[in-house]
Amino acid sequence: MSISYDDFTNAFLSKILEYNFLSLDLEEATSIVDGYMITAISQFKKNCLYDLTTTRDDEHRTFDVDISAEDKDEIVDIIACGMVVQWIKPYVNQQELLQNVLSTRDFDTYSPAELLLRVGNAYKSAQKEFVQAIREYSYNHGDLTSYHI
């Protein structure tokens, strides 16, 4: 049973509210979201039991890999968490640029500073959730016999 790119896209879109995607044409929005997915998969590939990197079929937008039904939902959720991290990342970089332009006093009193600070915190939280999901997946599905515990 192959898995569709749309499974990851739908899980990702259920985690965010992004009205900017509505202003983009379908091809451009799909390209952006697929980029988030590819990056998240590359960060998860060391721990994933299934090969999602070499089984990718961009033409049909599927992965030609047999994933058990019980593993599919978990993997899709982990990748979607990674996609959220990639989605937030540009906003964090924008915050760092703004901090460099404004003086400390201006940044503290300027009203968008609080919003940008919260975006940075949201990024850290999303990153932490993604890393924790990967760790839990590794612990639950990995072979611990190779470790000298």
Side-chain angles (χ1 to χ4, degrees):
M1 177 176 118
S2 63
I3 185 168
S4 171
Y5 284 22
D6 294 334
D7 292 334
F8 297 106
T9 300
N10 293 337
F12 164 69
L13 292 175
S14 73
K15 292 180 180 289
I16 67 164
L17 283 173
E18 179 58 75
Y19 298 107
N20 290 341
F21 286 130
L22 299 176
S23 65
L24 301 174
D25 64 15
L26 182 60
E27 186 176 319
E28 189 175 2
T30 300
S31 174
I32 292 169
V33 174
D34 287 355
Y36 296 156
M37 178 190 65
I38 291 166
T39 304
I41 287 171
S42 72
Q43 294 174 344
F44 180 48
K45 72 180 179 183
K46 292 178 192 170
N47 303 91
C48 188
L49 295 177
Y50 303 94
D51 181 11
L52 297 175
T53 54
T54 62
T55 60
R56 200 170 86 213
D57 181 359
D58 291 334
E59 185 178 329
H60 295 103
R61 297 182 44 74
T62 60
F63 296 92
D64 189 26
V65 62
D66 289 329
I67 297 179
S68 66
E70 61 260 6
D71 287 346
K72 179 183 172 187
D73 291 337
E74 183 178 17
I75 290 171
V76 167
D77 190 53
I78 291 170
I79 299 298
C81 285
M83 293 168 73
V84 170
V85 171
Q86 296 308 311
W87 170 68
I88 294 175
K89 196 175 213 174
Y91 296 104
V92 174
N93 293 337
Q94 182 180 11
Q95 172 191 358
E96 291 170 356
L97 291 174
L98 185 58
Q99 281 180 316
N100 289 335
V101 172
L102 296 175
S103 70
T104 305
R105 181 173 158 240
D106 289 337
F107 189 78
D108 290 338
T109 59
Y110 190 65
S111 61
E114 180 66 23
L115 173 63
L116 295 174
L117 181 64
R118 291 182 188 268
V119 168
N121 291 340
Y123 173 77
K124 289 175 189 171
S125 176
Q127 180 70 22
K128 184 177 179 181
E129 180 183 350
F130 180 50
V131 169
Q132 184 61 33
I134 291 173
R135 285 184 184 146
E136 286 180 25
Y137 177 87
S138 298
Y139 181 76
N140 293 331
H141 300 283
D143 181 13
L144 299 177
T145 59
S146 64
Y147 298 107
H148 302 287
I149 299 177

Short mmCIF file of all heavy atoms in Angstrom, two decimals, residues 1-15 30 33-34 37 41 52 60-65 67-69 71-81 83:
data_model
loop_
_atom_site.label_atom_id
_atom_site.label_comp_id
_atom_site.label_asym_id
_atom_site.label_seq_id
_atom_site.Cartn_x
_atom_site.Cartn_y
_atom_site.Cartn_z
N MET A 1 0.84 -1.18 0.00
CA MET A 1 0.00 0.00 0.00
C MET A 1 0.89 1.24 0.00
O MET A 1 1.70 1.44 0.90
CB MET A 1 -0.87 -0.02 1.25
CG MET A 1 -1.75 1.18 1.41
SD MET A 1 -2.80 1.00 2.84
CE MET A 1 -2.23 2.37 3.80
N SER A 2 0.79 2.05 -1.01
CA SER A 2 1.58 3.28 -1.05
C SER A 2 0.91 4.35 -0.21
O SER A 2 -0.27 4.28 0.11
CB SER A 2 1.76 3.75 -2.50
OG SER A 2 0.51 4.08 -3.06
N ILE A 3 1.68 5.35 0.13
CA ILE A 3 1.16 6.45 0.94
C ILE A 3 1.26 7.73 0.11
O ILE A 3 2.26 7.97 -0.55
CB ILE A 3 1.90 6.55 2.28
CG1 ILE A 3 1.28 7.62 3.17
CG2 ILE A 3 3.37 6.80 2.09
CD1 ILE A 3 1.78 7.56 4.59
N SER A 4 0.23 8.52 0.15
CA SER A 4 0.13 9.71 -0.68
C SER A 4 0.74 10.93 0.01
O SER A 4 0.71 11.04 1.23
CB SER A 4 -1.34 9.98 -1.00
OG SER A 4 -1.50 11.22 -1.63
N TYR A 5 1.26 11.83 -0.79
CA TYR A 5 1.72 13.12 -0.27
C TYR A 5 0.57 13.83 0.44
O TYR A 5 0.76 14.55 1.41
CB TYR A 5 2.20 14.02 -1.39
CG TYR A 5 3.54 13.72 -2.00
CD1 TYR A 5 4.14 12.45 -1.92
CD2 TYR A 5 4.22 14.70 -2.70
CE1 TYR A 5 5.36 12.20 -2.51
CE2 TYR A 5 5.45 14.45 -3.29
CZ TYR A 5 6.01 13.19 -3.19
OH TYR A 5 7.22 12.95 -3.79
N ASP A 6 -0.64 13.63 -0.09
CA ASP A 6 -1.81 14.32 0.47
C ASP A 6 -2.09 13.91 1.91
O ASP A 6 -2.65 14.71 2.67
CB ASP A 6 -3.04 14.07 -0.40
CG ASP A 6 -2.90 14.70 -1.78
OD1 ASP A 6 -2.14 15.69 -1.92
OD2 ASP A 6 -3.54 14.19 -2.73
N ASP A 7 -1.71 12.70 2.30
CA ASP A 7 -1.88 12.30 3.69
C ASP A 7 -1.07 13.22 4.61
O ASP A 7 -1.56 13.67 5.65
CB ASP A 7 -1.43 10.85 3.90
CG ASP A 7 -2.33 9.86 3.20
OD1 ASP A 7 -3.52 10.15 2.99
OD2 ASP A 7 -1.84 8.76 2.87
N PHE A 8 0.15 13.52 4.20
CA PHE A 8 1.01 14.42 4.98
C PHE A 8 0.50 15.86 4.91
O PHE A 8 0.47 16.56 5.92
CB PHE A 8 2.46 14.34 4.49
CG PHE A 8 3.08 12.99 4.67
CD1 PHE A 8 3.28 12.17 3.58
CD2 PHE A 8 3.46 12.54 5.92
CE1 PHE A 8 3.86 10.92 3.74
CE2 PHE A 8 4.03 11.29 6.09
CZ PHE A 8 4.23 10.47 4.99
N THR A 9 0.09 16.27 3.71
CA THR A 9 -0.40 17.63 3.52
C THR A 9 -1.64 17.89 4.37
O THR A 9 -1.74 18.92 5.04
CB THR A 9 -0.72 17.89 2.03
OG1 THR A 9 0.48 17.72 1.27
CG2 THR A 9 -1.26 19.29 1.81
N ASN A 10 -2.58 16.97 4.36
CA ASN A 10 -3.81 17.14 5.14
C ASN A 10 -3.52 17.17 6.63
O ASN A 10 -4.12 17.97 7.36
CB ASN A 10 -4.81 16.03 4.81
CG ASN A 10 -5.33 16.13 3.39
OD1 ASN A 10 -5.32 17.20 2.79
ND2 ASN A 10 -5.77 15.02 2.85
N ALA A 11 -2.61 16.32 7.10
CA ALA A 11 -2.25 16.34 8.52
C ALA A 11 -1.59 17.66 8.90
O ALA A 11 -1.87 18.23 9.96
CB ALA A 11 -1.32 15.16 8.84
N PHE A 12 -0.72 18.16 8.02
CA PHE A 12 -0.06 19.44 8.26
C PHE A 12 -1.07 20.58 8.30
O PHE A 12 -1.07 21.39 9.23
CB PHE A 12 0.99 19.69 7.17
CG PHE A 12 1.47 21.10 7.08
CD1 PHE A 12 2.26 21.65 8.08
CD2 PHE A 12 1.14 21.90 6.00
CE1 PHE A 12 2.71 22.96 8.00
CE2 PHE A 12 1.59 23.20 5.90
CZ PHE A 12 2.37 23.74 6.91
N LEU A 13 -1.95 20.64 7.31
CA LEU A 13 -2.92 21.73 7.24
C LEU A 13 -3.90 21.69 8.40
O LEU A 13 -4.43 22.74 8.79
CB LEU A 13 -3.65 21.71 5.90
CG LEU A 13 -2.79 22.04 4.68
CD1 LEU A 13 -3.59 21.87 3.39
CD2 LEU A 13 -2.21 23.44 4.77
N SER A 14 -4.13 20.52 8.97
CA SER A 14 -5.01 20.44 10.14
C SER A 14 -4.35 21.01 11.39
O SER A 14 -5.04 21.31 12.36
CB SER A 14 -5.46 19.00 10.38
OG SER A 14 -4.39 18.23 10.90
N LYS A 15 -3.03 21.16 11.36
CA LYS A 15 -2.29 21.67 12.52
C LYS A 15 -2.07 23.18 12.48
O LYS A 15 -1.63 23.76 13.47
CB LYS A 15 -0.93 20.97 12.64
CG LYS A 15 -1.03 19.50 12.99
CD LYS A 15 0.36 18.89 13.07
CE LYS A 15 0.33 17.44 13.41
NZ LYS A 15 -0.07 17.15 14.79
N THR A 30 1.22 23.85 -3.25
CA THR A 30 1.62 22.45 -3.18
C THR A 30 3.13 22.33 -3.14
O THR A 30 3.68 21.53 -2.37
CB THR A 30 1.06 21.67 -4.39
OG1 THR A 30 -0.36 21.76 -4.37
CG2 THR A 30 1.47 20.22 -4.37
N VAL A 33 4.37 23.31 0.43
CA VAL A 33 4.05 22.28 1.43
C VAL A 33 4.87 21.02 1.19
O VAL A 33 5.35 20.39 2.14
CB VAL A 33 2.53 21.99 1.44
CG1 VAL A 33 2.21 20.82 2.36
CG2 VAL A 33 1.75 23.22 1.88
N ASP A 34 5.06 20.65 -0.07
CA ASP A 34 5.90 19.48 -0.38
C ASP A 34 7.34 19.70 0.09
O ASP A 34 7.99 18.77 0.56
CB ASP A 34 5.88 19.17 -1.87
CG ASP A 34 4.56 18.55 -2.33
OD1 ASP A 34 3.69 18.27 -1.48
OD2 ASP A 34 4.41 18.36 -3.56
N MET A 37 7.46 18.98 3.67
CA MET A 37 7.39 17.54 3.88
C MET A 37 8.74 16.87 3.64
O MET A 37 9.19 16.05 4.45
CB MET A 37 6.33 16.93 2.95
CG MET A 37 6.20 15.42 3.06
SD MET A 37 5.16 14.73 1.76
CE MET A 37 6.14 15.09 0.30
N ILE A 41 10.90 14.85 6.41
CA ILE A 41 11.26 13.45 6.20
C ILE A 41 12.77 13.26 6.32
O ILE A 41 13.23 12.29 6.91
CB ILE A 41 10.74 12.96 4.83
CG1 ILE A 41 9.22 12.79 4.90
CG2 ILE A 41 11.41 11.65 4.41
CD1 ILE A 41 8.56 12.52 3.56
N LEU A 52 11.30 6.53 3.30
CA LEU A 52 10.49 7.53 2.63
C LEU A 52 11.33 8.44 1.74
O LEU A 52 10.79 9.35 1.11
CB LEU A 52 9.73 8.37 3.66
CG LEU A 52 8.73 7.62 4.53
CD1 LEU A 52 8.14 8.55 5.58
CD2 LEU A 52 7.64 6.99 3.68
N HIS A 60 3.56 10.94 -9.30
CA HIS A 60 2.27 10.45 -8.80
C HIS A 60 1.97 10.94 -7.38
O HIS A 60 0.92 10.63 -6.83
CB HIS A 60 2.24 8.92 -8.82
CG HIS A 60 2.30 8.36 -10.20
ND1 HIS A 60 3.46 7.81 -10.72
CD2 HIS A 60 1.37 8.30 -11.19
CE1 HIS A 60 3.22 7.41 -11.96
NE2 HIS A 60 1.96 7.70 -12.27
N ARG A 61 2.93 11.66 -6.79
CA ARG A 61 2.80 12.22 -5.44
C ARG A 61 2.50 11.14 -4.42
O ARG A 61 1.59 11.25 -3.60
CB ARG A 61 1.74 13.32 -5.40
CG ARG A 61 2.08 14.52 -6.27
CD ARG A 61 1.06 15.63 -6.22
NE ARG A 61 0.58 15.98 -4.90
CZ ARG A 61 1.26 16.64 -3.96
NH1 ARG A 61 2.48 17.04 -4.20
NH2 ARG A 61 0.72 16.92 -2.79
N THR A 62 3.30 10.07 -4.48
CA THR A 62 3.16 8.97 -3.53
C THR A 62 4.53 8.47 -3.10
O THR A 62 5.55 8.78 -3.73
CB THR A 62 2.40 7.77 -4.14
OG1 THR A 62 3.13 7.30 -5.28
CG2 THR A 62 0.99 8.14 -4.53
N PHE A 63 4.53 7.69 -2.05
CA PHE A 63 5.70 6.95 -1.62
C PHE A 63 5.37 5.48 -1.84
O PHE A 63 4.35 4.98 -1.35
CB PHE A 63 6.00 7.19 -0.13
CG PHE A 63 6.36 8.61 0.18
CD1 PHE A 63 5.40 9.52 0.56
CD2 PHE A 63 7.67 9.03 0.08
CE1 PHE A 63 5.73 10.83 0.85
CE2 PHE A 63 8.02 10.34 0.37
CZ PHE A 63 7.04 11.24 0.74
N ASP A 64 6.20 4.80 -2.58
CA ASP A 64 5.97 3.40 -2.90
C ASP A 64 6.60 2.53 -1.82
O ASP A 64 7.63 1.90 -2.01
CB ASP A 64 6.54 3.06 -4.27
CG ASP A 64 6.14 1.68 -4.73
OD1 ASP A 64 5.08 1.20 -4.28
OD2 ASP A 64 6.88 1.08 -5.53
N VAL A 65 5.97 2.52 -0.67
CA VAL A 65 6.46 1.76 0.48
C VAL A 65 5.25 1.20 1.21
O VAL A 65 4.21 1.85 1.31
CB VAL A 65 7.32 2.65 1.40
CG1 VAL A 65 6.55 3.80 1.97
CG2 VAL A 65 7.99 1.86 2.49
N ILE A 67 3.50 0.52 4.37
CA ILE A 67 3.47 0.93 5.77
C ILE A 67 2.24 0.30 6.40
O ILE A 67 1.14 0.42 5.86
CB ILE A 67 3.42 2.47 5.90
CG1 ILE A 67 4.68 3.10 5.31
CG2 ILE A 67 3.24 2.87 7.36
CD1 ILE A 67 4.70 4.60 5.38
N SER A 68 2.44 -0.35 7.51
CA SER A 68 1.30 -0.96 8.18
C SER A 68 0.32 0.12 8.62
O SER A 68 0.69 1.26 8.87
CB SER A 68 1.77 -1.78 9.38
OG SER A 68 2.32 -0.94 10.36
N ALA A 69 -0.93 -0.26 8.70
CA ALA A 69 -1.98 0.70 9.04
C ALA A 69 -1.74 1.35 10.40
O ALA A 69 -1.97 2.55 10.57
CB ALA A 69 -3.34 0.01 9.02
N ASP A 71 1.14 1.88 11.85
CA ASP A 71 2.30 2.77 11.80
C ASP A 71 2.04 4.03 10.97
O ASP A 71 2.65 5.07 11.20
CB ASP A 71 3.51 2.05 11.23
CG ASP A 71 4.11 1.04 12.19
OD1 ASP A 71 3.76 1.07 13.39
OD2 ASP A 71 4.93 0.22 11.76
N LYS A 72 1.14 3.93 10.00
CA LYS A 72 0.91 5.04 9.07
C LYS A 72 0.49 6.31 9.80
O LYS A 72 1.07 7.37 9.57
CB LYS A 72 -0.14 4.64 8.04
CG LYS A 72 -0.45 5.74 7.06
CD LYS A 72 -1.54 5.34 6.10
CE LYS A 72 -1.95 6.52 5.26
NZ LYS A 72 -3.11 6.23 4.43
N ASP A 73 -0.50 6.22 10.67
CA ASP A 73 -0.98 7.42 11.36
C ASP A 73 0.11 8.06 12.21
O ASP A 73 0.24 9.29 12.25
CB ASP A 73 -2.19 7.09 12.23
CG ASP A 73 -3.43 6.74 11.42
OD1 ASP A 73 -3.50 7.15 10.24
OD2 ASP A 73 -4.32 6.06 11.95
N GLU A 74 0.88 7.23 12.87
CA GLU A 74 1.96 7.75 13.72
C GLU A 74 3.02 8.45 12.88
O GLU A 74 3.47 9.55 13.22
CB GLU A 74 2.58 6.60 14.52
CG GLU A 74 3.65 7.04 15.49
CD GLU A 74 4.21 5.88 16.31
OE1 GLU A 74 4.02 4.71 15.93
OE2 GLU A 74 4.85 6.17 17.33
N ILE A 75 3.42 7.84 11.78
CA ILE A 75 4.44 8.44 10.91
C ILE A 75 3.93 9.72 10.28
O ILE A 75 4.65 10.72 10.22
CB ILE A 75 4.90 7.41 9.86
CG1 ILE A 75 5.72 6.32 10.55
CG2 ILE A 75 5.71 8.08 8.76
CD1 ILE A 75 6.04 5.14 9.67
N VAL A 76 2.69 9.71 9.82
CA VAL A 76 2.11 10.92 9.22
C VAL A 76 2.08 12.05 10.24
O VAL A 76 2.41 13.20 9.92
CB VAL A 76 0.70 10.62 8.66
CG1 VAL A 76 -0.05 11.90 8.32
CG2 VAL A 76 0.79 9.74 7.42
N ASP A 77 1.73 11.75 11.47
CA ASP A 77 1.68 12.78 12.51
C ASP A 77 3.06 13.33 12.82
O ASP A 77 3.23 14.55 12.99
CB ASP A 77 1.02 12.23 13.77
CG ASP A 77 0.73 13.32 14.78
OD1 ASP A 77 0.08 14.31 14.41
OD2 ASP A 77 1.17 13.18 15.94
N ILE A 78 4.06 12.47 12.89
CA ILE A 78 5.43 12.93 13.17
C ILE A 78 5.92 13.83 12.03
O ILE A 78 6.48 14.91 12.28
CB ILE A 78 6.38 11.73 13.37
CG1 ILE A 78 6.05 11.01 14.68
CG2 ILE A 78 7.84 12.19 13.38
CD1 ILE A 78 6.76 9.68 14.85
N ILE A 79 5.71 13.41 10.79
CA ILE A 79 6.14 14.23 9.65
C ILE A 79 5.38 15.55 9.64
O ILE A 79 5.96 16.61 9.36
CB ILE A 79 5.94 13.47 8.32
CG1 ILE A 79 6.77 12.18 8.29
CG2 ILE A 79 6.26 14.36 7.13
CD1 ILE A 79 8.25 12.37 8.37
N ALA A 80 4.10 15.53 9.95
CA ALA A 80 3.32 16.77 10.00
C ALA A 80 3.86 17.72 11.06
O ALA A 80 3.91 18.94 10.84
CB ALA A 80 1.84 16.46 10.24
N CYS A 81 4.30 17.19 12.20
CA CYS A 81 4.93 18.04 13.24
C CYS A 81 6.20 18.69 12.69
O CYS A 81 6.45 19.87 12.93
CB CYS A 81 5.27 17.22 14.47
SG CYS A 81 3.86 16.79 15.50
N MET A 83 6.75 19.33 9.58
CA MET A 83 6.32 20.32 8.59
C MET A 83 5.92 21.63 9.27
O MET A 83 6.19 22.71 8.74
CB MET A 83 5.17 19.76 7.75
CG MET A 83 5.58 18.60 6.87
SD MET A 83 4.20 17.69 6.13
CE MET A 83 3.63 18.88 4.90
#
